[in-house]
Amino acid sequence: MRIKPTIQSSTLLFNELKLLGYDVKHIAAENNVTERTVRDWRRGAHSISQEVFERLVVLSGLPIDTIHYDIVDEIAQKSKAGRFGFASQKQKYGEIATNESRSKGGHSSYRSRSGNPADIFTRSVIKKPKVNTMLAEFVGIMIGDGNIAPYQASVSVNMTDDAEYVPYIARLFRELFGVTVTVRNRTNKNCTVIVVSSANLVDHLECLGLPIGDKISQKISIPEWVNNDPELLSACLRGIFDTDGCIFQEKHKIKGKIYAYPRLSFVSHSPELITSMERALLGLGYAPRVRGGRRVNLEHFTDIEKFFRIIGSSNPKHRKRYKDFMERSHSG
């Protein structure tokens, strides 16, 4: 089955992909087609296979109901395209290509590209860092707000609240793996995306315990190599908290009087990750409470103070909120 999006939907889809760092070269390489084919898809000139179409929609993050398309009769299209291609090639060249000539051309093309490091089919070399707290914190960030596709790793954060945190994430990517980082603002969704396109990086992140695709269905949790070392575990929790955590006051009104209680919270829709974080905090001497199946809270003032003193935060947003919270507590 083949899909032909409307011109407006094609524009929407490929603009979203471009904002996420998926340019024509990367889309062509990922789907084993030419750049010209991708440009034809983008302007709505040609249909797309169902498999590729679904993959592009998932990568874009767009709801499927925002993309309008027609289903194309694949057999009829191939027949029409075949007749057109035969006539066109014969008119231009007078002789139709054979399997032997196609094979020869393919080998020639590969030889001409094989030594070019800038070619889209040549994997870029990355650094493979030693296991340390910086790497563990990065893994925590990816567990929290990261996304891994077959040829790309990215982190999406709030464009406003986390603006000061973005350079730190980009620096971790560069210092750990020696890669080129692209930062894009998606103003329509108020988020900033930090993107690295590298198949070798994706392979290495998989080895570290970070799955490709949807984190919930892949049952993501804190990797065992992190769990086995308290320092690494603390760093990983810092990364998770900085992306998927918050600090706030929970207020209750009792007999007309308002009481405020401190809360430090980790939030996730993954049951496996919630269990993993609860176990990690218990192992480090905290007293976590699971609330609603989607939150792991630290609800004692001493635990919250200990968390910021020992584990800390690399996100200026959280450090500022904790400082404000402490000042209000002492003044009250």
Side-chain angles (χ1 to χ4, degrees), residues 54-295:
E54 290 176 350
R55 186 184 307 140
L56 293 178
V57 172
V58 169
L59 290 178
S60 74
L62 292 170
I64 188 64
D65 57 7
T66 63
I67 307 295
H68 302 286
Y69 58 88
D70 294 318
I71 297 175
V72 180
D73 184 336
E74 189 169 3
I75 296 176
Q77 178 168 321
K78 283 183 177 179
S79 176
K80 180 180 178 181
R83 291 194 301 271
F84 176 81
F86 180 90
S88 176
Q89 185 163 338
K90 189 172 182 180
Q91 182 180 2
K92 285 183 179 179
Y93 307 112
E95 182 178 345
I96 305 303
T98 64
N99 288 337
E100 182 180 357
S101 66
R102 290 192 188 98
S103 177
K104 184 178 179 180
H107 286 297
S108 175
S109 173
Y110 177 79
R111 285 195 300 272
S112 68
R113 298 194 324 262
S114 60
N116 180 10
D119 186 79
I120 60 174
F121 296 102
T122 302
R123 286 187 168 213
S124 57
V125 177
I126 67 163
K127 292 195 305 183
K128 294 184 178 179
K130 295 180 180 180
V131 171
N132 56 30
T133 54
M134 183 186 293
L135 181 62
E137 181 175 356
F138 174 82
V139 167
I141 291 170
M142 292 301 297
I143 289 173
D145 277 342
N147 178 65
I148 303 177
Y151 293 86
Q152 191 176 81
S154 63
V155 178
S156 300
V157 297
N158 186 281
M159 190 171 73
T160 306
D161 292 347
D162 296 306
E164 294 180 89
Y165 185 44
V166 169
Y168 182 78
I169 299 173
R171 181 167 66 83
L172 284 183
F173 267 116
R174 286 191 292 265
E175 292 188 5
L176 285 169
F177 307 108
V179 292
T180 300
V181 181
T182 301
V183 177
R184 299 184 184 276
N185 288 326
R186 301 175 67 186
T187 54
N188 61 324
K189 294 188 176 181
N190 193 34
C191 75
T192 298
V193 186
I194 304 100
V195 184
V196 172
S197 298
S198 168
N200 278 339
L201 175 61
V202 170
D203 288 347
H204 189 60
L205 295 182
E206 277 197 286
C207 292
L208 293 174
L210 297 170
I212 291 177
D214 183 75
K215 292 181 288 187
I216 297 176
S217 62
Q218 297 284 343
K219 298 182 178 180
I220 194 168
S221 62
I222 298 172
E224 283 307 309
W225 64 270
V226 173
N227 276 318
N228 294 333
D229 185 306
E231 287 191 13
L232 297 179
L233 186 55
S234 294
C236 185
L237 287 173
R238 180 167 59 248
I240 298 174
F241 171 70
D242 281 344
T243 49
D244 264 355
C246 60
I247 178 171
F248 63 97
Q249 284 190 327
E250 185 174 285
K251 296 181 179 181
H252 297 280
K253 190 173 183 180
I254 303 174
K255 294 181 179 181
K257 187 174 181 179
I258 296 177
Y259 295 87
Y261 303 96
R263 298 288 184 262
L264 187 151
S265 184
F266 295 82
V267 184
S268 176
H269 292 281
S270 167
E272 290 78 16
L273 184 56
I274 289 293
T275 300
S276 182
M277 289 191 294
E278 180 188 24
R279 185 174 62 243
L281 288 166
L282 283 169
L284 292 173
Y286 296 89
R289 297 289 298 272
V290 177
R291 300 293 188 184
R294 294 182 178 179
R295 289 179 178 270

